């Protein structure tokens, strides 16, 4: 087997929560009179909540204190968590469940490596609570993607060396994080065309021929 473990990013790989992130940030931005659109939202993929807020505030004319920033991030997260309540196992990306089951059948260890502090809630809504051998998320790290910490911790949780793990990512920040953690990565969606990715996934099931 070429890899003994596969570490999956969550948002954009296992499911799509970007629409909910967008709606929740848009509500905050509109309230504060800040211009925000889908293009700016795209820059938020894979980066932490506070870093996302800083990107949004690039279009803010006023000044804000650290206390106000924390309150804004909290406001966005409350809206986001309300939107997440509508998620069900039907929100899994196509082919994900079959691919996870097949990889497990091959003896591959499976992890989540996500920047999100809401990863546990999302996994529960998707019916994947307790499914992964280990879950490393935004609550377990001090440095967000593109730092490699989230994937290094996930590999440690699997009990595997970095070179035995393959990372699956949809965002540039995540591909860089895999590189910084010393791991190969497979890019899906927008990340598929990136030269940072060792493999290009047209669909998630392509992983089955990569890992063997
Ligand atoms: P939260 P991933 C990331 O998840 C999202 O892609 C990114 O847009 C979001 O800002 C980040 O989680 C933090 O999310 O506010 O829920 O802690 O792609 O690393 O699974
Ligand atoms: Mg992602």
């Amino acid at each position: 087997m070429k890899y003994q473990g596969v570490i999956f990013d969550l948002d954009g790989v296992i499911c799509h929560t970007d629409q909910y992130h967008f709606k929740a940030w848009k509500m905050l931005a509109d309230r504060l009179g800040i211009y925000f659109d889908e293009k700016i939202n795209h820059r938020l993929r894979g980066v932490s909540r506070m870093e996302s807020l800083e990107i949004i505030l690039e279009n803010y004319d006023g000044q804000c204190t650290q206390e106000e920033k924390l309150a804004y991030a909290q406001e966005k997260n409350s809206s986001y968590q309300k939107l997440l309540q509508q998620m069900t196992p039907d929100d899994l990306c196509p082919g994900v469940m079959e691919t996870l089951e097949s990889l497990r059948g091959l003896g591959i260890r499976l992890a989540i490596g996500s920047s999100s502090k809401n990863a546990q809630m999302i996994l529960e809504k998707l019916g994947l609570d307790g499914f992964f051998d280990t879950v490393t998320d935004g609550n377990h790290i001090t440095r967000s993607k593109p730092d490699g910490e989230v994937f290094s911790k996930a590999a440690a949780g699997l009990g595997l060396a970095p070179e035995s793990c393959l990372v699956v990512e949809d965002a540039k920040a995540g591909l860089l994080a895999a590189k910084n953690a010393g791991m190969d990565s497979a890019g899906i969606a927008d990340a598929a065309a990136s030269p940072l990715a060792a493999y290009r996934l047209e669909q998630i099931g392509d992983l089955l021929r990569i890992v063997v």
Side-chain angles (χ1 to χ4, degrees):
M1 211 67 78
K2 200 163 179 190
Y3 299 99
Q4 290 173 269
V6 179
I7 305 173
F8 292 86
D9 172 51
L10 182 60
D11 294 337
V13 172
I14 299 288
C15 61
H16 286 295
T17 50
D18 13 351
Q19 45 169 333
Y20 303 132
H21 279 296
F22 178 71
K23 278 187 192 161
W25 282 125
K26 181 83 177 131
M27 275 190 260
L28 176 73
D30 286 353
R31 188 178 76 68
L32 297 174
I34 300 173
Y35 179 76
F36 180 61
D37 62 14
E38 293 274 7
K39 200 173 164 209
I40 300 169
N41 189 57
H42 198 70
R43 290 174 57 204
L44 313 183
R45 290 177 115 182
V47 300
S48 72
R49 195 180 309 161
M50 291 309 287
E51 285 162 325
S52 299
L53 178 64
E54 291 295 344
I55 292 170
I56 286 163
L57 290 176
E58 286 172 12
N59 287 306
Y60 187 49
D61 290 334
Q63 293 285 319
C64 29
T65 63
Q66 190 56 23
E67 213 173 29
E68 283 168 327
K69 286 181 186 175
L70 288 170
Y72 294 155
Q74 180 55 46
E75 181 180 331
K76 179 266 175 178
N77 196 50
S78 299
S79 314
Y80 177 60
Q81 287 185 336
K82 279 188 200 125
L83 292 164
L84 287 180
Q85 296 312 312
Q86 62 197 286
M87 287 188 91
T88 71
D90 287 343
D91 288 299
L92 279 168
C93 291
V96 164
M97 207 56 230
E98 298 83 337
T99 304
L100 290 173
E101 303 274 17
S102 300
L103 289 169
R104 178 155 282 163
L106 290 169
I108 305 277
R109 295 177 64 72
L110 305 172
I112 289 288
S114 169
S115 299
S116 176
K117 292 186 172 170
N118 293 297
Q120 195 53 46
M121 182 191 284
I122 296 167
L123 289 171
E124 279 166 27
K125 300 301 281 178
L126 293 172
L128 287 176
D129 184 25
F131 179 87
F132 289 89
D133 297 303
T134 192
V135 174
T136 305
D137 64 31
N139 299 295
H140 307 122
I141 53 172
T142 52
R143 298 177 307 278
S144 199
K145 300 171 188 175
D147 191 283
E149 185 183 12
V150 70
F151 295 135
S152 299
K153 283 206 168 158
L158 292 178
L160 296 174
E163 57 273 20
S164 301
C165 297
L166 177 69
V167 167
V168 187
E169 261 290 349
D170 71 311
K172 188 180 176 194
L175 295 177
L176 284 167
K179 188 168 181 257
N180 289 331
M183 298 175 195
D184 286 346
S185 60
I188 195 162
D190 291 350
S194 171
L196 288 163
Y199 309 97
R200 180 189 186 124
L201 300 181
E202 277 176 22
Q203 51 204 15
I204 196 90
D206 292 346
L207 278 174
L208 295 169
R209 57 172 174 73
I210 291 171
V211 295
V212 291

